[in-house]
Amino acid sequence: MAKVKAKRIFTRSTLGYSVTKETKTSLLFSKSFSESDGKNIVELRNRIKGNPVAQVELMFSKQGNRTKVTGDTWFILNPKGKNKDIYNTNHTKTYKDLKRLLTEIR
């Protein structure tokens, strides 16, 4: 049930993610940005090459009769190049937003 709720939340039009990988214990959501949108992120402006991709991975694990949901989020700044340049966003507002969304899954 938690995976169904997660899909409903992250693929709604206001967030615009799509499911790019699904396993029994995880979901990976991705969303592309334009290069100009990505360059609005000041600390990343000089690192972006092409259209950056935001990704959110949710992991599901059983704990008794409950499901624990944890998540991680990052940007791929050079998605088509050899060096993907992955920028972890766990210390940013993006991660705080992810934690808020995780409470909606309950």
Side-chain angles (χ1 to χ4, degrees), residues 1-12 15-23 25-33 52-60 69-76 89 94 98 101-102 105:
M1 188 59 151
K3 285 174 83 174
V4 171
K5 285 183 180 180
K7 285 180 188 178
R8 193 175 322 132
I9 290 167
F10 282 90
T11 60
R12 63 185 172 206
L15 291 177
Y17 284 91
S18 60
V19 176
T20 51
K21 184 177 179 185
E22 181 174 356
T23 70
T25 59
S26 69
L27 283 170
L28 180 66
F29 298 93
S30 299
K31 175 169 76 171
S32 291
F33 289 89
V53 175
Q55 291 191 316
V56 174
E57 182 175 31
L58 301 181
M59 287 75 64
F60 304 87
V69 182
T70 56
D72 198 8
T73 180
W74 59 86
F75 283 114
I76 301 174
T89 58
T94 303
L98 172 63
L101 291 169
L102 291 177
I105 296 172

Side-chain angles (χ1 to χ4, degrees), residues 51-94:
N51 297 342
V53 175
Q55 291 191 316
V56 174
E57 182 175 31
L58 301 181
M59 287 75 64
F60 304 87
S61 59
K62 286 287 188 189
Q63 292 189 333
N65 61 351
R66 302 182 75 196
T67 301
K68 180 180 179 181
V69 182
T70 56
D72 198 8
T73 180
W74 59 86
F75 283 114
I76 301 174
L77 303 176
N78 185 18
K80 296 191 189 272
K82 288 181 184 177
N83 173 12
K84 300 292 182 205
D85 196 5
I86 296 172
Y87 179 78
N88 189 305
T89 58
N90 286 352
H91 61 282
T92 66
K93 180 184 178 307
T94 303

